[in-house]
Every structure is written in structure tokens, then in C-alpha cells.
Amino acid sequence: MNLTNLLKKSKKGSAEIVAFAILLIFIVVAAGPQIKQLGQTVVSGVTNTNTQVQQTLGTN
């Protein structure tokens, strides 16, 4: 394997990494509001569960 072939493979690999990074950023930006809403829903559910457990145990 000579240096030219090695550089060509290196460039192809870096282009794939950049494309993957751009795709990942796009997914995060596009799905951000839904992820935030899901997090708020989970927090609300855990809080309600904790309140119910405290009421059941009589520790509040």
C-alpha cells in the first residue's frame, strides 16, 4: 500500500465522520423539543409517584 492510497482512504474516512456528525446534529436539533417534553413528563410522573408513596406510607 503506497502513501497515495492511504491518503485517499483517510480522506474518505474523514468525510464519512463529518457526514455522520452533521446527521447527528440535525437529529438532535430536530428532536430536541420532543426530548425536552419527554423529560418533563418523566419528572412529573416520578414526582406524582413519590407523592403517592409518601401518602400511602404516611410520611408526609
Side-chain angles (χ1 to χ4, degrees):
M1 182 179 287
N2 62 18
L3 185 58
T4 306
N5 288 338
L6 186 61
L7 288 174
K8 285 180 183 177
K9 286 186 178 184
S10 174
K11 288 180 183 177
K12 182 179 178 186
S14 63
E16 291 172 353
I17 292 171
V18 170
F20 179 74
I22 291 172
L23 179 63
L24 190 60
I25 290 170
F26 176 75
I27 290 170
V28 168
V29 169
Q34 289 82 7
I35 293 170
K36 184 177 179 181
Q37 183 179 5
L38 177 62
Q40 291 171 346
T41 302
V42 170
V43 168
S44 176
V46 170
T47 302
N48 290 339
T49 302
N50 287 342
T51 302
Q52 290 174 0
V53 169
Q54 287 176 348
Q55 290 173 350
T56 302
L57 297 175
T59 58
N60 56 351

